[in-house]
Amino acid sequence: MDEETRDQTTGQATDRQTGEGEQSSAGSGMTFDQWLDSDPALRSEFDRRNTKAVQTARTRWEQEQADSQDEAKKLERMTAAQREKYQLEKDRQTLEQERAAFQRQQLEVQTGAQLQGMGYDAAFAAYLTGKDAETTSANLTAFDGLMRAYRASAVNGQMRGGVPPRDAEKHDDAPDPFLMGFLGKQKG
């Protein structure tokens, strides 16, 4: 790989160097290029991944270009009425997608309100919202049951307590020095 291509693929390495190839003050004192060049396996793996990413991006771009050219050719062959019908169908599909996204968002908002009504954080709504209201309701019921069981086990664990302190037994029989002084008795 020539030097110009290598500089383009390393991206951030150029950002980490200053002026005339000086090293950045952060890190171990090595630039990204120096670190990659220190081990040929690192350099080859880095180059392999960059090549794969570039190929994937190029394939996507070429597919998008081919699709738009195909659509343009398809529209050229259509009559005015067919073009209008095609555009209406395309607009209808877009509208349906937007409508579905809006309904999902509304259901998520309703789920958040229900969660707050149950005493939970509304942030769980994104995880509990189902495909429809029935699925969402079932998810909420299951979540509420699980949270109640968790809270009960946490409370039972705290009520159970732990091991008493080591010196707790020594003081059980000893009289309270404050009470002894209050009653006028001395330690004996």
Side-chain angles (χ1 to χ4, degrees):
M1 186 180 287
D2 65 346
E3 191 66 25
E4 182 180 332
T5 307
R6 202 164 83 196
D7 285 343
Q8 290 174 351
T9 58
T10 57
Q12 294 176 344
T14 308
D15 296 339
R16 292 184 186 165
Q17 292 180 349
T18 60
E20 299 165 9
E22 297 174 16
Q23 298 171 1
S24 65
S25 59
S28 64
M30 293 176 64
T31 65
F32 186 69
D33 278 333
Q34 289 172 340
W35 178 71
L36 282 177
D37 290 338
S38 69
D39 186 2
L42 289 173
R43 173 56 76 180
S44 65
E45 179 66 16
F46 182 76
D47 290 343
R48 185 187 66 77
R49 288 183 182 195
N50 279 336
T51 303
K52 184 177 179 183
V54 168
Q55 287 174 347
T56 302
R58 175 171 280 179
T59 303
R60 285 183 189 154
W61 180 79
E62 288 172 350
Q63 183 64 38
E64 289 173 4
Q65 294 300 316
D67 289 346
S68 66
Q69 287 177 355
D70 289 346
E71 187 173 348
K73 288 178 184 177
K74 191 175 174 181
L75 286 171
E76 284 177 10
R77 286 182 260 146
M78 292 180 181
T79 64
Q82 289 174 332
R83 269 185 248 151
E84 187 176 323
K85 183 178 178 183
Y86 175 77
Q87 190 62 38
L88 280 172
E89 185 61 33
K90 193 174 175 183
D91 291 343
R92 183 178 299 138
Q93 288 176 351
T94 304
L95 182 63
E96 285 297 319
Q97 289 173 347
E98 289 174 358
R99 183 174 163 227
F102 179 73
Q103 287 176 342
R104 167 81 180 172
Q105 185 181 15
Q106 290 298 100
L107 186 58
E108 195 170 313
V109 168
Q110 289 174 352
T111 304
Q114 288 176 340
L115 281 167
Q116 286 180 334
M118 298 166 110
Y120 301 115
D121 190 1
F124 290 116
Y127 305 104
L128 297 174
T129 303
K131 292 181 180 182
D132 55 10
E134 292 81 27
T135 307
T136 302
S137 178
N139 290 347
L140 284 171
T141 304
F143 177 75
D144 188 42
L146 289 171
M147 288 302 288
R148 287 179 189 269
Y150 172 75
R151 284 180 180 164
S153 68
V155 167
N156 287 340
Q158 287 182 348
M159 295 294 285
R160 198 171 299 124
V163 179
R166 288 184 299 183
D167 61 348
E169 297 169 2
K170 295 179 186 176
H171 298 292
D172 285 342
D173 297 330
D176 185 12
F178 177 75
L179 291 177
M180 294 298 287
F182 185 70
L183 295 174
K185 298 180 182 178
Q186 294 183 353
K187 254 184 163 177

